[in-house]
Amino acid sequence: MEKILLYIISEETRGSWKRAIEISNAMSATLFGLYVIDEKSVKRISKLRGEDPLDTAIEMEEEGWKLLYHLEDMAINSGVKSKLNLEEGDPVNTIKRQVKKFDIDMVILGYKAPRGGSRRKTERIVDQIIEHVPCPILIDKEGGK
Amino acid sequence: MLEDLINKELIFVTDKVKGKYELLEDMVDRTLGKGLIMTREPIIHEIKKREKLESTGVIEGVAIPHARTEAVKDLILEIAIIKKGLDFDSLDEKPVYIVFLIVAPEEARTKYIKVLARISRMCRQEGFRSKLKEANSPDEVYEIIQNFDK
């Protein structure tokens, strides 16, 4: 196993970053950190806030880089080789594309069951990743050992 | 805005590059004597250390090497356009034509993230990348950034 992709959803799933680094270290694999600015979320949030979608996307982009920046520090401190990437679009399609483009061996996905209305949406994304991403997937449940 | 951080003296267009580390050293050397950095060696060391383990932004033809070090007083942004392309150990094995070097002290973390986010947003636009590749002078590079940095 040479290439592992960690899909970064939010800061809440940081436990999965540690796991991804440990696995990458054990396998001497390169860790690809991926954050996706979900275009549907941009539309929804900007509409709710009544702001320009570009402003929302820029804010999400800064948040994404902040998370990738933390991941980078953690990877470097553990001596793990990493590649950071931020994309804009549909998360499932982006992951699929990255898996093919970089010949990824495994995808790691941090999962924390959200509460309320976003639960169904998050579960749908996880389901779609499982169904469509053509490589082994490790779902790291937050709060697990 | 990104253009506020750009010093035209820290933009250069070249076709004479031997290798990735030679380019990065050259970029750091261009900041010498401008009151921007205190010492050269810690910056080179930090950039090389990070480059061996990490690469930021898997964008075709673009590299964003960076380092955090107290050897600089404030964030430095430097841009190199390599006309013939350079092997930058990219995973897609494609040459890099545009290099954004960012060096910042630890306390400039927020500024660094904003700059990185802005560079990455512009570089995802194919039109921006192709225009920068075609630029022949620091003035042209600056103007292209001004036009896209909105």
Side-chain angles (χ1 to χ4, degrees):
Chain A
M1 193 170 291
E2 293 174 1
K3 297 170 190 170
I4 294 171
L5 186 146
L6 171 68
Y7 173 48
I8 296 173
I9 301 171
S10 72
E11 197 155 16
E12 285 186 326
T13 58
R14 201 185 280 197
S16 64
W17 308 4
K18 198 176 163 217
R19 188 104 56 201
I21 288 167
E22 284 169 359
I23 294 171
S24 301
N25 207 353
M27 300 282 186
S28 301
T30 298
L31 179 64
F32 288 66
L34 173 67
Y35 182 90
V36 182
I37 301 170
D38 185 347
E39 54 197 5
K40 285 182 186 161
S41 298
V42 171
K43 280 183 191 163
R44 186 173 45 83
I45 293 167
S46 62
K47 198 175 169 184
L48 273 172
R49 290 178 179 173
E51 66 183 15
D52 187 335
L54 182 62
D55 292 334
T56 310
I58 288 171
E59 189 186 319
M60 288 172 83
E61 178 131 21
E62 286 175 5
E63 175 63 18
W65 279 115
K66 197 171 102 184
L67 300 178
L68 288 167
Y69 197 74
H70 284 306
L71 176 69
E72 175 199 59
D73 277 351
M74 288 166 71
I76 283 177
N77 290 338
S78 303
V80 168
K81 199 170 180 183
S82 64
K83 305 273 175 193
L84 307 180
N85 200 13
L86 186 145
E87 297 262 343
E88 201 165 353
D90 172 71
V92 179
N93 285 335
T94 306
I95 295 170
K96 265 168 68 180
R97 213 170 42 244
Q98 295 255 319
V99 166
K100 279 187 185 168
K101 184 176 178 185
F102 297 114
D103 201 16
I104 297 290
D105 299 302
M106 181 168 76
V107 171
I108 297 179
L109 183 66
Y111 178 75
K112 180 172 183 171
R115 292 173 185 172
S118 62
R119 185 184 182 103
R120 198 175 295 166
K121 182 181 171 256
T122 305
E123 286 177 347
R124 197 169 58 237
I125 290 175
V126 172
D127 282 349
Q128 285 178 356
I129 289 171
I130 292 168
E131 193 175 336
H132 296 292
V133 172
C135 73
I137 297 159
L138 173 68
I139 298 176
D140 188 15
K141 189 176 168 187
E142 284 295 314
K145 287 183 182 175
Chain B
M1 301 293 263
L2 204 58
E3 61 181 280
D4 299 331
L5 285 168
I6 297 173
N7 176 347
K8 277 191 201 172
E9 289 180 27
L10 297 181
I11 301 174
F12 67 103
V13 179
T14 182
D15 59 1
K16 291 171 189 164
V17 182
K18 283 183 188 166
K20 172 180 168 178
Y21 292 114
E22 286 79 3
L23 172 75
L24 294 171
E25 286 198 27
D26 184 28
M27 290 180 86
V28 172
D29 287 344
R30 283 168 188 262
T31 64
L32 295 171
K34 293 185 171 67
L36 299 169
I37 66 173
M38 287 172 258
T39 50
R40 175 188 187 271
E41 293 311 321
I43 301 173
I44 305 260
H45 172 77
E46 190 63 25
I47 293 170
K48 285 186 177 174
K49 186 180 103 182
R50 286 195 174 254
E51 271 304 305
K52 278 179 189 154
L53 281 174
E54 183 266 340
S55 74
T56 302
V58 192
I59 302 169
E60 197 177 310
V62 180
I64 314 174
H66 65 101
R68 291 201 310 272
T69 167
E70 297 310 317
V72 294
K73 292 170 192 165
D74 199 359
L75 186 142
I76 297 171
L77 173 63
E78 198 170 354
I79 304 163
I81 308 296
I82 304 133
K83 300 302 279 185
K84 289 181 182 169
L86 176 67
D87 177 9
F88 226 83
D89 303 326
S90 306
L91 272 179
D92 58 8
E93 294 176 355
K94 289 183 179 168
V96 157
Y97 296 89
I98 305 157
V99 178
F100 288 92
L101 173 67
I102 311 172
V103 185
E106 189 61 47
E107 59 268 24
R109 182 179 278 253
T110 305
K111 194 173 179 182
Y112 165 79
I113 287 166
K114 283 184 181 291
V115 168
L116 186 55
R118 207 164 265 275
I119 291 172
S120 123
R121 173 160 287 274
M122 289 196 292
C123 287
R124 285 204 302 277
Q125 300 175 57
E126 210 279 328
F128 177 69
R129 298 197 306 269
S130 60
K131 277 192 164 43
L132 277 187
K133 267 172 77 174
E134 288 161 14
N136 289 308
S137 69
D139 283 332
E140 275 184 51
V141 172
Y142 187 78
E143 197 178 316
I144 294 162
I145 290 171
Q146 266 186 321
N147 290 338
F148 278 84
D149 188 22
K150 286 171 182 166

